[in-house]
Amino acid sequence: MWEGWPIERVLLIFVGLAFALIFIQVTMFHSRQNFRHWAMWVPVIETPVFAVLAIALAFTQPMWLLWTFTILMWVGVAGGLYGASLHAAGVRQRVGGFSQSQNFLVGPPIILPLLISAMSGLGLLALYWG
């Protein structure tokens, strides 16, 4: 059954499933903080869309879907970088800022938005691989 599946298709499915899992994690973290900043809604809304589009693209490739996915993956790269800067600012605002390693453990996770950027980059790589 898997014979003949190109790596691009497998990567798109992986990216879709990864975005679905990231959605669960980011929704729990941002719910815990009661969505205090408008930007907290962005990954909660975009990651399930990314997941559905990536998985759909693994099975069908109409031109509109290719373009939509490409644009949204670039949005994901930029949004993840912006989220990392917001999370870093949140760590900096805690007592002791960056000098207290505890702030990186209990403050906003800086790596999680970077994971969105990385998965978006992997989605772009899957599109442009061939």
Side-chain angles (χ1 to χ4, degrees), residues 1-128:
M1 178 175 163
W2 286 93
E3 188 175 320
W5 273 42
I7 190 67
E8 296 89 350
R9 177 180 269 188
V10 175
L11 283 176
L12 285 169
I13 292 171
F14 175 80
V15 166
L17 293 175
F19 275 126
L21 295 174
I22 292 169
F23 163 73
I24 294 167
Q25 187 65 59
V26 78
T27 301
M28 287 189 304
F29 279 156
H30 289 174
S31 294
R32 182 178 68 186
Q33 295 300 317
N34 297 318
F35 293 94
R36 288 187 293 188
H37 191 275
W38 66 268
M40 290 178 151
W41 285 102
V42 174
V44 170
I45 294 168
E46 75 184 359
T47 51
V49 173
F50 291 175
V52 169
L53 291 179
I55 293 170
L57 200 54
F59 294 100
T60 182
Q61 295 190 347
M63 192 56 70
W64 69 268
L65 187 56
L66 286 166
W67 279 105
T68 303
F69 186 74
T70 300
I71 292 167
L72 288 180
M73 288 300 96
W74 282 111
V75 168
V77 169
L81 294 173
Y82 177 64
S85 70
L86 289 175
H87 282 213
V91 169
R92 187 184 69 242
Q93 290 172 356
R94 299 181 73 83
V95 175
F98 296 125
S99 65
Q100 297 290 327
S101 60
Q102 184 71 12
N103 290 343
F104 289 98
L105 298 174
V106 297
I110 296 174
I111 300 301
L112 189 56
L114 293 176
L115 184 60
I116 291 174
S117 290
M119 282 298 113
S120 298
L122 187 59
L124 289 168
L125 184 65
L127 285 183
Y128 296 119

